[in-house]
Every structure is written in structure tokens, then in C-alpha cells.
Amino acid sequence: MPQPEAPDEAAVSDLVVANRILAAEGVLDGFGHVSMRDPRDPKCYLMSRSLAPALVTAADIVQHDLDNRPVRDEGHSLYYERWIHGEVYKARPEVNAIVHSHSPTVVPFASTKAPLRPILHNASFLGFGTPVFEIRNLVPNSDLMISTAALGKALAETLGPSADVVLLRGHGNVVVGPTIQITVFRAYYTEINARQQLNAMILGRDDVVYMNAGECATTDKIMQAVAGRPWDLWKRRVQREMRRAEVEDCL
Amino acid sequence: MPQPEAPDEAAVSDLVVANRILAAEGVLDGFGHVSMRDPRDPKCYLMSRSLAPALVTAADIVQHDLDNRPVRDEGHSLYYERWIHGEVYKARPEVNAIVHSHSPTVVPFASTKAPLRPILHNASFLGFGTPVFEIRNLVPNSDLMISTAALGKALAETLGPSADVVLLRGHGNVVVGPTIQITVFRAYYTEINARQQLNAMILGRDDVVYMNAGECATTDKIMQAVAGRPWDLWKRRVQREMRRAEVEDCL
Amino acid sequence: MPQPEAPDEAAVSDLVVANRILAAEGVLDGFGHVSMRDPRDPKCYLMSRSLAPALVTAADIVQHDLDNRPVRDEGHSLYYERWIHGEVYKARPEVNAIVHSHSPTVVPFASTKAPLRPILHNASFLGFGTPVFEIRNLVPNSDLMISTAALGKALAETLGPSADVVLLRGHGNVVVGPTIQITVFRAYYTEINARQQLNAMILGRDDVVYMNAGECATTDKIMQAVAGRPWDLWKRRVQREMRRAEVEDCL
Amino acid sequence: MPQPEAPDEAAVSDLVVANRILAAEGVLDGFGHVSMRDPRDPKCYLMSRSLAPALVTAADIVQHDLDNRPVRDEGHSLYYERWIHGEVYKARPEVNAIVHSHSPTVVPFASTKAPLRPILHNASFLGFGTPVFEIRNLVPNSDLMISTAALGKALAETLGPSADVVLLRGHGNVVVGPTIQITVFRAYYTEINARQQLNAMILGRDDVVYMNAGECATTDKIMQAVAGRPWDLWKRRVQREMRRAEVEDCL
């Protein structure tokens, strides 16, 4: 009988690092999740079992199919909102990584009429759309969470074919990208852009010069090309932190 | 003669961890206090002697009766505002833990007419009410503190039968819950929600979509169920920090 | 020939700790200074030689007379603005410690018409006045600094007989108190109050309920009595940090 | 055959420290760069190869000529926006160091009509001008980056003969100075001033008292003279951090 194949080691390592980076940078707190499409099987994705992102290790990564079931049932409790991931991977074949966070400065944009727009070149991907998902239009008195396939599908529809970010009213946001590095970069700069846009709106609500569509298209290409630079920095920091914790846990 | 019973070890450990978590997360500074109803005797509660929360250890935990007297007088100086705890435990039998903090972004809501309202699903409990206690209506020229049984009782009355948070004008807030984990969760997300609501009001004061009553009722149930996830993360962090401090104090 | 007396060891130690605390808490950056009246000679004060506060050690403490001259000239370069200290000690005999900082959220209050007022009970001392010193009224085209005895005297006059804080337009603030612990407490809560007041003014500029005069008088007495609690916490943190730095500097 | 001369060791060390300081203080994130004119050859400058500033070591420093070519081609990938440096060094012979950052609170000033103006004495150099470079006036649909000699030249022209800071809409800023210490000081206080000015504008947009031209001229001289004080502090911190990382990387 063939052994069930263990997931790609480099992919798992990147996914652990991605969880740790976004927790260290304040995009994720005790909640939120990061997934990547399985490089060995595009009909599956890798994501931690239900756990605070800052605690995720390689041993916690579970292979899910696109219906959000564990490929090998090892009895792990899984994220309550994993439906986000399966439905977005189905709808967007070019997407290979997804971050769901409650990124703190993005929530206010999700809950007012102020659209989140690109003010910083690193966040040029915001120019491809930042739709808001209002769960109340579908389910009254809900817990705001994406806890069914139908809600996952509706969310993927609001995200649409070209946006890289969708905001969830009263809740958080979902960011997608072609690689885990680029998606982490985008999740980080979504938060940074939100802070800078908020401050710009204080300085002069009607005066803010946002990036235009042409600038966004040109700039996003460059940003995808350089996303590895902050990744290398962040990765080194979280690896050092993980090693430090390991040493201390042995004391 | 029977030995006076030492408090439940697991409860004391959780209480120490709760103090450290809320200090590490910036909800508590050098002031504030955390208590839990004694799991062995609901007519008592456990709380540190008068000490900055970040310094509390198991040895500092004192069993108080609901009239806020130490069960065993060991000569410790006690918190000046312990009346908050006894009176709320008397008025709210389902409450098993209480946090009193000067959580920084909550104070502005306590001192203006802007009601603190739930904008983030994690803070759905805010939907059950966020009354403001104005001590000036009872005592002119006071020190703003809850330093008598009468003030503790008046505060508990303002909290009322169903709210989980009461704001103290010019001072801080009190958060309650059925377990220490849920109460720490609520104290943390009260601060987070205040920050996000403030930012949302900057973006569009009259546009903010708050959670409605039905959403709050549904969501709070889920949040109580998942409050252990950030607790596990925070606990690991403060335990590592406590161990690090111990090692360093031996150098 | 008698040996020149070394300054009181406990006083020096407290002064070093005060410098480190205010740097660690973000009240002081690379600039600013902390002094205390010499407990052995009220006509002198102790203060570091010219140095970033976070680097001050016992060996850097210099005894100054009230004309801001070193009692023993050891060739140290002294703070350019030491005139603040001598003139305030002369004018206010009950003052035993002084902090001059560029505390970040206080500067905006120094440079607009919005008066800094007590919104948090810990900052009740702000109720005794927060006058603004406008150097431009005395010296056109100055460097904004208190670099002469005349400017020190004018600043002390603006502080007046009863305020504990004076703001310097375009520059920073000066906080005074009867002990080093209380003065550090006040410098810290001046910054905290400024942040909370700013947020309250965003929530509802005309609605903010400030502490009234009676509340301030009552509350300040309590705060002076409990100022040791955060001091103990902060002291333990900076001592641990100092020990850690020492160990690392030996590696 | 003579060996190609290695760059001045003290200069390289200062440049590494400058990179680390600005990353540690939040002026630089994963992007941005710091250069200094080569003390041995004013027709060259020293700058890291393309790398996150927090990771720069002495081995990464590359000597560039003023046309932004490496003097010795060692195959390193170079910063995409190095054109900023060569063109500013050509246009401003008295400039000996340049920082390009995406300093977070400065971006909002670059993208609105609110001019960045000196509110804090440490930022008096802002009084010499804070022009905004709008790349859209030159290149439609650009990536906002200074990726050609022509754009570098246009930016240097916008900076002009006397300003020390130029803001780049949607992007960041460039700060210059006569020494690396003064330039780091200025980059840091540009960010600090932006935060304080934003807060002052909230308190009273039309009431803010900025430093006037005479005050700026006088104060900048003093600030240049004392820029070494925070530098010494920051340097000690980053050197300790670098040593700590080295030790940990050996575990």
C-alpha cells in the first residue's frame, strides 16, 4: 500500500513563515489564517489546523481539498472559516495563496462608505478593486463569519475576477496573490495603505491624490518582482524568533 | 486544627497569566486589576494584593470575600478599588471574572457622548450595552475612584443585568464574563474595537455600520467558544517572558 | 583637605532609573533631561552630563548649583538647557524633581490653541494649569531653547506658583513634582492624557467632560500616594534591561 | 597592478549603522536606501547593493560613481532607484549623505495639499522647503519610481538648491544633509514632525503655530551640532542588536 504523500517541504516551510510574519507585523492577531495552493496538486491547498497563526509549525499544516475537507483525516480541528479558501481557489485559478485577517486599520474601511484606495505605490494592487462583502444582505443576524460553502462562494463572487482584496464588513479582509510571498506582501501593504489613507483623509479628505489605473497596472508588476526583498527580511526575523523560542523552551 | 485551604492552583495560575497578558497587550499599565470568582467558593474571589499587574505572581493572590475583606489577613495591602469586584460578583451571579483597566482608547469614549459600539465581530459583546458611570452625579469633587461599597454598588447598578462592560468617566472601564479566558478576551477586544471605531468615525462619522442586536447575540456565542485560541497564544508568550525574567534575575 | 563628598548613592540610583524609565516609555527620545534636587543640599541639583537619557549611568551624574554650574568641574559637557532646572528650583522650593521632554503628543498642544486638560484621573495634576511658554514673545528668531538664565527665569514665571507642567511652543514641556517618583509619574501621564484628550476631541470636540477643579485637587493627593506602584514596575523593567545590556556588552 | 582600493572602513561602518538605525526606528521598512558620498572621492558614493536596509552589512556596500554604475562590477544587483543618489550628489555638492524612505507618516503629506511644515525644533530644516515631486507631470502611468537618470535629475531639480527634503507623491521622500549623522537625524525627525503636525492639525487646523524662517535658520545650526547625541544612542542599540543576532545565528 503506498504511503500518503507528505506535503512539499519547502511549501510547508514558506507557509509557516508566512503565518509568523503576518503575526509579527500585526496583520494577524490570535485569529486569521494563511493558505497556499498545494504545489503538487492544484485541487488542494495547505493550511494550518485551527490555531493562532503565531503558533503554527510544520506539524500543524493540513492538506485540504477544494471542498475544505482534510485529505487525510487526522482528527485535527479545522478553521471554522476555511470555506473562504476553497471557494476562492475554485473561482480564481491563478491565485496560489490567500490571507484572511482582521488587519486592524482595514476594518474601519470595511464598515464605512470610504473606499480603500491606493495611496502608496507598494499597495498598487488596491487599484484593481476593494469591494466590500456585506453578509447582512444574505443572512440576517449572522455571526459575520464565512462558515458555509454558500457564503464562501458569495464572498468569492464579491471578490470577482480581478480584485486582489475583498473587505468583510464588521470583520476583516481577504487578500489573494499568485505566490505566498506576493500575498504576504499584499496583506502587509493593505494595512499600511489603510493607515496612510486614513491620515491623508485627515489632512484633506477631498485633496488626496490616489494612484490612477495606469499607475496601478505598471506599478503592480514591479511590486510583484520585488516582493522577495521584504520577505527575506521578515523571514530572517521570524526564523531567529522561532530559534530563540526553541532554545528558551528547552531551558 | 484544620489548615486554611490554599486556593485552587490552576485558578491562581490562570489569574496570574491573565494579569500578565493584559499588561503585555497594553490593556493594563501600572494600574488596574483582574479577579476571578473562587471556583471552590462562589462567595469569594481571588485577586492580587495591591501590585502592578505585570508583577503579579501566584504568591500575591489573596482570597477576598464578597465584602472585599481578605479571608485570611496576611497583612497585605489590598487594591483601593476592590469594591468593584465584590459588588459586581454579588449583583451578577453568572459573572466569574472581572477586569478593571484604564485601557487607553476606551477612556475617550467614557468622557464624551460618543457611545462605544461594536464594529468588529470579536467585540460583539459590546452590543449588550456600554453604559457610562458618572461618579460626579453621586459624589462631587471625588477622586473618581470606586473606593467604597456604596460606589461599588452604584457601579454594579449602572452595569446592570446584561451589559458586559461599563465605562467610568475620566477613569477607565470594567469588563465581566463567565470565565477568565472570555473576560480577558473581552477586555482586549474592548480596546481594539475602540481604536477601530475611532478610526471609522474619522472616515465617516454618520456612515459607520455597527453590528446589530441579532448579529451580536449570534456572534457572542461563537466568540465565547473560540476565546481559548488567543488565550493559548498569549499564555505561551507570557510564560516564556516569565521564564526569561526568572533566568535573568538569577544572573 | 576634606574629600569632595560624592552624591547620595540612592538618589543617584533613582535618577538613573528615572532617565531609563522615561526613555523606555517613549517620553524622552535622544534628547531631554531629568534632574532631582540634591537631598543633601537643597541649593544644588543632580543631573546627567550632556547625554541621551537612555545611556545615563551613575558615573554621568553631575552635581550642579542653582546657577547651573558644576559644583566640581570635571570637564564634562553639560546640557545646553540646564537653565530650566536651576531657575525652577529657585522659584519653587517645594519642587524636588524636574523632567524636560519633547514628549511627542504634548508638542501639538503646545503649538495650537487647544489647552491640555485632564481627561484621565492619573493626570489630575494637569488641573493645576498647563500654561504655554511662547519664546517668540521674548526673543525673535531664537533656537527655541532655554539656553540662558533669563530664559530659564521667564519659563519659571510662566510655570508660576502652582502649575506642575509648562508647555514650550515648538519644543516640548517641563514637568515638576515633590519627588522623583511623582515627577516621572506626571511626565508619563502628561503624554498619556494628551493622547486620550486628542482622541476625545476627535470623538466630540465640544462634548469632552474634563475633570473639574475639585476632582483634580482630591485626585492628585491619591495619585501622589500611589505613584510608587508603576515606579516599581518600571524600575524592575529598566534594571533588567540594564543587566541584559551589561551581560551582552561582555560577550 | 595596483589593488582596487577598499572603501574607507569608518565610512562603511557608519553607513551600515545608518541603515540599521533607520530600520529600527521605523523610517525604513523592507525598502528604502541610504548613501553617503565617498570620503575618498567626491565623484563617488557608497550604498548597499539591493537589499532590505535592516540586513545591510559592510560586505554589501558598493562604491557607485555619480552615474550610478558600480566602480568595480562585482555582479551585485543594485537598487532600482539609485538614480536619486547620483543626480542629487551632482546637483548639490555640499550634500554628503542621502536617505530615501517610505517613512509612513510623510506619505500622506506627499499626497495631499497639506504642506509639511516645522512644528518641532528638531525638524527646523523643514523650514528650508518641502517641495512635492509629482511624477505624473512627467510620465503618465509610471510605476512612480525614480528609475532613470532623467527622473533623478527632475527630482533633484524639484529638491532645488536649498531644501533638505523632497516628497514623492504616492511614494515617499528623500532627505539630504552634510553628514551621515545629520541626515539620519533629519530623516528621523521628518517622520516625527509629520506625526506631530498631523495631530496639531486635528487639534486646530488653522491655529497651528509653525516655526518661522528666522527660527528655522537659527535652530538648524544647533541641531546640526547636537545630531551626534541621538546617533550615539541609536548606534549603541543597533550594535547590540547586531551582536545579539550574530550570537544567535551561531547557536
Side-chain angles (χ1 to χ4, degrees):
Chain A
M1 201 183 76
Q3 280 294 98
E5 204 180 354
D8 184 88
E9 207 174 306
V12 166
S13 164
D14 278 353
L15 189 52
V16 169
V17 164
N19 273 275
R20 302 294 184 118
I21 287 172
L22 292 171
E25 297 298 326
V27 172
L28 297 168
D29 63 358
F31 296 104
H33 12 97
V34 186
S35 73
M36 69 190 291
R37 199 186 284 272
D38 191 334
R40 295 186 179 162
D41 181 356
K43 295 206 155 334
C44 288
Y45 65 92
L46 306 174
M47 186 166 69
S48 172
R49 67 184 177 92
S50 180
L51 194 67
L55 299 179
V56 168
T57 66
D60 301 306
I61 302 301
V62 174
Q63 193 187 19
H64 299 66
D65 66 25
L66 296 192
D67 293 322
N68 308 294
R69 289 169 306 208
V71 172
R72 284 173 298 281
D73 192 344
E74 299 167 290
H76 290 312
S77 132
L78 302 179
Y79 286 127
Y80 180 64
E81 297 192 281
R82 58 193 182 279
W83 316 90
I84 295 169
H85 300 264
E87 294 303 324
V88 171
Y89 285 123
K90 284 183 202 166
R92 293 277 295 266
E94 89 288 7
V95 163
N96 290 314
I98 299 173
V99 173
H100 167 50
S101 82
H102 308 157
S103 191
T105 319
V106 181
V107 171
F109 285 91
S111 295
T112 56
K113 290 179 189 156
L116 184 65
R117 297 183 60 188
I119 186 177
L120 176 69
H121 65 348
N122 299 118
S124 49
F125 59 91
L126 295 177
F128 309 140
T130 56
V132 177
F133 180 73
E134 175 47 278
I135 199 170
R136 205 182 281 172
N137 294 338
L138 299 170
V139 191
N141 305 326
S142 81
D143 62 11
L144 304 198
M145 288 195 260
I146 308 301
S147 55
T148 65
L151 284 167
K153 205 161 174 232
L155 179 69
E157 274 161 22
T158 301
L159 177 65
S162 56
D164 295 317
V165 182
V166 57
L167 310 190
L168 289 76
R169 192 269 307 161
H171 177 174
N173 68 85
V174 171
V175 176
V176 305
T179 67
I180 186 87
Q181 287 83 356
I182 290 168
T183 309
V184 165
F185 179 98
R186 286 177 174 174
Y188 174 78
Y189 281 110
T190 298
E191 170 67 18
I192 298 298
N193 191 92
R195 290 182 209 164
Q196 297 187 356
Q197 184 181 348
L198 180 81
N199 283 343
M201 289 172 74
I202 290 171
L203 291 181
R205 192 179 190 91
D206 302 319
D207 294 345
V208 187
V209 180
Y210 295 104
M211 294 178 73
N212 63 30
E215 289 171 342
C216 287
T218 311
T219 307
D220 182 58
K221 284 196 197 84
I222 294 286
M223 290 302 153
Q224 293 199 30
V226 298
R229 200 192 305 168
W231 171 270
D232 288 344
L233 168 63
W234 292 328
K235 182 178 175 178
R236 207 140 132 185
R237 279 191 190 144
V238 301
Q239 287 183 325
R240 197 170 281 147
E241 181 56 35
M242 285 163 77
R243 218 161 40 229
R244 191 180 299 164
E246 250 175 60
V247 170
E248 291 188 340
D249 289 350
C250 295
L251 290 180
Chain B
M1 201 183 74
Q3 278 296 98
E5 205 181 353
D8 184 88
E9 208 174 306
V12 166
S13 164
D14 278 353
L15 189 53
V16 169
V17 165
N19 273 276
R20 302 293 185 119
I21 286 171
L22 292 171
E25 297 298 327
V27 172
L28 297 167
D29 62 357
F31 296 104
H33 13 95
V34 186
S35 73
M36 70 190 290
R37 199 185 283 273
D38 191 333
R40 295 185 179 164
D41 180 357
K43 296 207 153 331
C44 289
Y45 66 91
L46 305 174
M47 186 164 71
S48 171
R49 66 182 177 93
S50 180
L51 194 66
L55 298 179
V56 168
T57 66
D60 300 307
I61 302 301
V62 174
Q63 193 187 20
H64 299 67
D65 66 26
L66 296 192
D67 293 322
N68 307 295
R69 290 170 305 210
V71 172
R72 284 172 298 283
D73 192 346
E74 299 167 290
H76 289 312
S77 133
L78 302 179
Y79 285 127
Y80 180 64
E81 298 193 281
R82 60 194 182 277
W83 316 91
I84 295 169
H85 300 264
E87 294 303 323
V88 171
Y89 285 123
K90 283 182 203 168
R92 293 277 294 267
E94 89 288 8
V95 163
N96 290 314
I98 299 172
V99 173
H100 167 50
S101 82
H102 309 156
S103 192
T105 319
V106 182
V107 171
F109 285 90
S111 296
T112 57
K113 290 180 189 156
L116 184 64
R117 296 184 60 189
I119 187 177
L120 176 69
H121 65 349
N122 299 119
S124 49
F125 60 90
L126 295 177
F128 308 140
T130 56
V132 177
F133 180 73
E134 175 47 277
I135 199 170
R136 205 182 282 173
N137 294 339
L138 299 170
V139 191
N141 305 326
S142 81
D143 61 11
L144 303 197
M145 287 195 259
I146 308 301
S147 55
T148 65
L151 284 167
K153 206 163 173 230
L155 179 70
E157 275 161 20
T158 301
L159 177 65
S162 55
D164 295 317
V165 183
V166 56
L167 310 189
L168 289 77
R169 192 270 306 162
H171 177 172
N173 68 85
V174 171
V175 176
V176 305
T179 67
I180 186 85
Q181 287 83 355
I182 290 168
T183 309
V184 165
F185 179 99
R186 286 177 173 172
Y188 175 77
Y189 280 110
T190 298
E191 171 66 19
I192 299 298
N193 191 92
R195 290 182 207 163
Q196 297 187 356
Q197 183 181 349
L198 180 81
N199 283 344
M201 289 173 74
I202 291 171
L203 291 181
R205 191 180 190 91
D206 302 317
D207 295 345
V208 187
V209 180
Y210 295 104
M211 295 178 73
N212 63 28
E215 289 171 342
C216 287
T218 310
T219 307
D220 182 57
K221 285 195 197 85
I222 294 285
M223 290 302 154
Q224 293 199 30
V226 298
R229 199 192 306 167
W231 171 270
D232 288 344
L233 168 63
W234 292 328
K235 181 178 174 178
R236 207 139 133 186
R237 280 193 190 141
V238 300
Q239 287 183 326
R240 197 170 281 145
E241 182 56 34
M242 285 163 78
R243 217 161 41 228
R244 190 179 301 162
E246 251 175 58
V247 169
E248 290 188 341
D249 289 350
C250 294
L251 290 179
Chain C
M1 201 183 79
Q3 279 295 99
E5 206 182 351
D8 184 89
E9 208 175 305
V12 166
S13 165
D14 279 352
L15 189 53
V16 169
V17 165
N19 274 275
R20 301 293 185 120
I21 287 172
L22 291 171
E25 298 298 326
V27 172
L28 297 167
D29 63 358
F31 295 103
H33 13 96
V34 186
S35 73
M36 70 191 289
R37 198 186 284 272
D38 191 333
R40 294 184 180 164
D41 180 357
K43 297 207 154 328
C44 288
Y45 66 90
L46 306 174
M47 187 164 70
S48 172
R49 66 185 178 90
S50 181
L51 194 66
L55 298 179
V56 168
T57 65
D60 301 306
I61 302 300
V62 174
Q63 193 187 20
H64 298 68
D65 65 25
L66 297 192
D67 292 322
N68 308 293
R69 291 170 304 210
V71 171
R72 284 172 297 282
D73 193 345
E74 299 167 291
H76 290 311
S77 133
L78 303 179
Y79 286 127
Y80 181 63
E81 297 192 282
R82 59 193 182 279
W83 316 90
I84 295 169
H85 300 265
E87 294 303 322
V88 171
Y89 285 124
K90 283 183 202 167
R92 293 276 295 265
E94 89 289 7
V95 164
N96 290 313
I98 299 172
V99 173
H100 168 50
S101 83
H102 309 157
S103 192
T105 319
V106 180
V107 171
F109 285 90
S111 296
T112 57
K113 290 180 188 157
L116 184 65
R117 296 183 60 188
I119 186 176
L120 176 69
H121 65 348
N122 299 118
S124 49
F125 60 90
L126 295 177
F128 309 140
T130 56
V132 177
F133 180 73
E134 175 48 278
I135 198 169
R136 205 181 281 172
N137 294 339
L138 298 169
V139 190
N141 305 327
S142 82
D143 62 11
L144 305 197
M145 288 196 260
I146 308 301
S147 55
T148 65
L151 284 167
K153 205 162 173 231
L155 179 69
E157 274 161 21
T158 301
L159 176 65
S162 55
D164 295 318
V165 182
V166 57
L167 310 189
L168 289 75
R169 193 269 308 162
H171 178 173
N173 68 84
V174 171
V175 176
V176 304
T179 68
I180 186 85
Q181 287 84 356
I182 290 168
T183 309
V184 165
F185 179 98
R186 286 177 172 172
Y188 175 77
Y189 280 110
T190 298
E191 171 66 20
I192 298 297
N193 191 93
R195 291 184 207 162
Q196 298 188 355
Q197 184 181 349
L198 181 81
N199 284 343
M201 289 173 74
I202 290 172
L203 291 181
R205 192 179 189 90
D206 302 319
D207 295 345
V208 187
V209 180
Y210 295 104
M211 294 178 73
N212 63 28
E215 289 171 342
C216 287
T218 310
T219 307
D220 182 57
K221 285 195 196 85
I222 294 286
M223 290 301 154
Q224 294 199 29
V226 298
R229 201 192 305 169
W231 171 270
D232 287 345
L233 168 64
W234 291 328
K235 182 178 174 179
R236 204 136 136 187
R237 279 191 190 144
V238 300
Q239 287 183 327
R240 196 170 282 146
E241 182 54 35
M242 285 164 78
R243 217 160 41 226
R244 190 179 301 162
E246 251 175 58
V247 169
E248 291 188 340
D249 288 350
C250 294
L251 291 178
Chain D
M1 201 183 78
Q3 279 293 99
E5 205 181 352
D8 183 87
E9 207 174 306
V12 166
S13 164
D14 278 353
L15 189 52
V16 169
V17 165
N19 273 276
R20 302 292 185 119
I21 287 172
L22 291 172
E25 298 297 327
V27 171
L28 297 167
D29 63 357
F31 295 103
H33 13 96
V34 186
S35 73
M36 69 191 291
R37 198 185 285 272
D38 191 333
R40 295 185 180 163
D41 180 357
K43 296 207 154 332
C44 289
Y45 65 92
L46 306 174
M47 187 164 70
S48 172
R49 65 184 180 90
S50 180
L51 194 66
L55 298 179
V56 168
T57 65
D60 301 307
I61 302 301
V62 173
Q63 193 186 20
H64 299 67
D65 66 24
L66 297 191
D67 292 322
N68 308 293
R69 291 170 305 209
V71 172
R72 284 171 297 280
D73 192 345
E74 299 168 291
H76 290 311
S77 132
L78 302 180
Y79 286 127
Y80 181 63
E81 298 192 282
R82 60 194 182 279
W83 316 91
I84 294 169
H85 300 264
E87 293 304 323
V88 171
Y89 285 122
K90 283 182 202 167
R92 294 276 295 265
E94 89 288 7
V95 163
N96 290 314
I98 298 173
V99 173
H100 167 51
S101 83
H102 308 157
S103 192
T105 319
V106 181
V107 171
F109 285 89
S111 295
T112 57
K113 290 181 188 155
L116 184 65
R117 297 183 60 188
I119 186 177
L120 176 69
H121 64 349
N122 299 118
S124 50
F125 59 91
L126 296 177
F128 308 140
T130 56
V132 177
F133 180 73
E134 175 47 279
I135 197 169
R136 204 181 283 171
N137 294 339
L138 299 170
V139 191
N141 305 327
S142 81
D143 62 11
L144 305 197
M145 287 195 260
I146 308 302
S147 55
T148 65
L151 284 167
K153 207 163 171 230
L155 179 69
E157 274 161 21
T158 301
L159 176 65
S162 55
D164 295 318
V165 182
V166 56
L167 310 189
L168 289 76
R169 193 269 307 163
H171 178 174
N173 67 84
V174 172
V175 176
V176 305
T179 68
I180 186 84
Q181 287 83 356
I182 289 168
T183 309
V184 165
F185 179 99
R186 286 177 173 173
Y188 175 78
Y189 281 110
T190 298
E191 170 67 18
I192 298 298
N193 191 92
R195 291 183 206 162
Q196 297 188 354
Q197 184 181 349
L198 180 81
N199 283 343
M201 288 173 74
I202 290 172
L203 291 181
R205 194 179 188 89
D206 302 319
D207 294 346
V208 187
V209 180
Y210 295 104
M211 295 177 73
N212 63 29
E215 289 171 343
C216 287
T218 311
T219 307
D220 182 57
K221 286 196 196 84
I222 293 287
M223 290 302 154
Q224 294 199 29
V226 298
R229 201 193 304 170
W231 171 270
D232 288 344
L233 168 64
W234 292 328
K235 182 177 175 179
R236 204 137 137 188
R237 279 191 190 143
V238 301
Q239 287 184 326
R240 197 171 280 147
E241 182 55 35
M242 285 164 77
R243 217 160 42 228
R244 191 180 301 164
E246 251 176 58
V247 170
E248 291 188 339
D249 289 350
C250 295
L251 291 179

